[in-house]
């Protein structure tokens, strides 16, 4: 799953909530992986940033294998092996990274997209088949963040 965070983030964020035209606000994007089936290998999660979103290079937990290509906006998290029952009998695996936006006047009254759809893929080691899961894009609409919610995501002047 993919979620956006402002107040309850593992990497502290700054900037106005709701976001304001011409001012920088930062957010965390968190990818969380659960595996209910067989052991998985070659697990990767990927997405990309819209052109108006800045990659800040801060990652948690430290040492997570996340790479960003500034030329394409593509982000790849190379997880590697994901054991069976991750997120059930053992803790879910997660990684977070920090992004920033500076809303433009045309964003007033709208949510700003922070990241495109995310795709997780891996190879089922027992069956030998590629399996995966997708997560929808994330915007400044953060219904699960108590400080942001629905109204705190709309850009203000």
């Amino acid at each position: 799953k993919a979620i956006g965070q402002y107040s309850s983030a593992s990497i502290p964020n700054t900037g106005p909530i709701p976001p304001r035209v011409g001012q920088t606000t930062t957010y965390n994007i968190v990818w969380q992986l659960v595996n209910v089936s067989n052991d998985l290998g070659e697990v990767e999660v990927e997405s990309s940033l819209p052109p108006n979103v800045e990659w800040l290079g801060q990652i948690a937990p430290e040492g997570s294998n996340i790479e960003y290509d500034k030329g394409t906006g593509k982000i790849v998290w190379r997880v590697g092996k994901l054991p069976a029952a991750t997120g059930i009998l053992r803790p879910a695996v997660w990684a977070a990274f920090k992004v920033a936006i500076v809303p433009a006047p045309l964003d007033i009254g709208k949510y700003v997209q922070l990241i495109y759809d995310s795709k997780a893929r891996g190879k089922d080691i027992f069956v030998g088949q590629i399996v995966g899961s997708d997560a929808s894009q994330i915007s400044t609409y953060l219904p699960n963040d108590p400080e942001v919610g629905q109204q705190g995501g709309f850009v203000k002047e």
Side-chain angles (χ1 to χ4, degrees), residues 26-66:
T26 66
Y27 297 87
N28 281 203
I29 304 300
V30 181
W31 282 329
Q32 186 177 41
L33 296 176
V34 172
N35 178 19
V36 298
S37 65
N38 302 319
D39 289 349
L40 300 176
E42 304 169 30
V43 176
E44 290 186 353
V45 181
E46 69 175 54
S47 186
S48 57
L49 299 179
N52 61 323
V53 177
E54 181 183 2
W55 169 266
L56 296 178
Q58 292 178 281
I59 297 169
E62 211 172 291
S64 296
N65 188 7
I66 297 179

Side-chain angles (χ1 to χ4, degrees), residues 86-109:
T86 297
I88 298 166
L89 298 177
R90 51 179 56 106
V93 174
W94 66 276
F97 53 91
K98 190 171 181 176
V99 298
I101 59 165
V102 179
L106 61 90
D107 296 321
I108 294 172

Side-chain angles (χ1 to χ4, degrees), residues 99-138:
V99 298
I101 59 165
V102 179
L106 61 90
D107 296 321
I108 294 172
K110 299 177 187 171
Y111 299 120
V112 175
Q113 188 172 19
L114 299 174
I115 188 171
Y116 294 124
D117 293 352
S118 299
K119 299 178 185 314
R121 300 286 180 262
K123 186 174 186 177
D124 183 314
I125 294 171
F126 183 72
V127 180
Q129 189 173 18
I130 301 297
V131 296
S133 178
D134 297 344
S136 296
Q137 61 141 6
I138 297 170

